[in-house]
Amino acid sequence: MAADRAVLQEGSCYAEVTSDPLSLQRLADLVADDGAGAVATFTGTTRNSFQGKKTEHLEYEAYVPMAAKKLLELCRQACARWPLCGAAIAHRTGVVRVGEASVVIACSSPHRRDALEACHWAIDELKASVPIWKKEFFEGGEVWKENEEWRAEQRRLRDEAEQQRTGQQQAG
């Protein structure tokens, strides 16, 4: 296993962190199963703009062994939450140009809803918990970027917890 690549597989769960281009079809093939009536996939790509400025490229950094272990953990959790036939996640590191895939997720299940929900859950959990960092390069600058959706969700959860504490104190 090279320092810039890690592949882990456990049963029907597959995780990969690599600097090589990603293949949606390869991940879909990995989760293919005769018992699956659905294969849901997600591909996250580099878009061409950042806050109204032209994107040049993204660069991803990761502690590759830890990131791969976390991706495999997410696959196992998805398989425990939904009746999946298989789950696979691959994430790029290094330079990712506009239009190229940064992340690919594939989930298969007997019924579409489970595969779709697991795929949706997996990308949200990946962005919130996997130690992979993104730097955006755009016209006139560059910036390390954290997941804004995750930040907003964390604020919402903190606000809800604070409201519950305040409500309990007032009732007590």
Side-chain angles (χ1 to χ4, degrees):
M1 201 166 6
D4 66 343
R5 184 167 193 263
V7 174
L8 300 174
Q9 191 160 7
E10 182 180 286
S12 61
C13 294
Y14 175 90
E16 179 178 7
V17 178
T18 181
S19 59
D20 297 330
L22 302 179
S23 166
L24 171 66
Q25 188 60 55
R26 190 171 62 75
L27 263 64
D29 290 346
L30 283 169
V31 301
D33 186 279
D34 289 344
V39 175
T41 62
F42 171 81
T43 302
T45 59
T46 301
R47 63 180 164 268
N48 65 0
S49 64
F50 171 77
Q51 297 179 348
K53 297 174 183 169
K54 182 180 176 186
T55 299
E56 295 171 1
H57 66 275
L58 303 179
E59 283 187 19
Y60 288 92
E61 291 187 11
Y63 177 57
V64 173
M66 183 184 294
K69 286 178 186 175
K70 185 62 180 170
L71 291 178
L72 185 63
E73 180 184 318
L74 292 179
C75 289
R76 286 194 307 253
Q77 289 175 353
C79 287
R81 289 179 67 148
W82 291 275
L84 300 181
C85 301
I89 305 174
H91 203 294
R92 284 274 301 270
T93 56
V95 174
V96 182
R97 305 232 173 263
V98 171
E100 293 181 345
S102 299
V103 60
V104 175
I105 300 172
C107 296
S108 63
S109 65
H111 304 286
R112 70 181 176 267
R113 179 179 298 257
D114 295 322
L116 289 166
E117 288 178 0
C119 205
H120 183 210
W121 174 87
I123 188 59
D124 288 347
E125 287 297 311
L126 182 157
K127 292 183 95 173
S129 65
V130 179
I132 297 174
W133 303 277
K134 176 172 70 173
K135 190 173 192 177
E136 298 215 19
F137 290 80
F138 52 90
E139 275 182 344
E142 60 191 55
V143 64
W144 284 101
K145 187 155 188 240
E146 69 177 312
N147 182 337
E148 292 175 23
E149 296 97 351
W150 179 80
R151 248 189 354 227
E153 177 67 8
Q154 296 307 303
R155 279 193 302 268
R156 184 188 67 74
L157 292 172
R158 278 193 304 272
D159 291 348
E160 284 179 5
E162 182 61 31
Q163 288 174 354
Q164 286 180 343
R165 278 193 299 274
T166 304
Q168 289 172 351
Q169 290 171 354
Q170 290 174 354

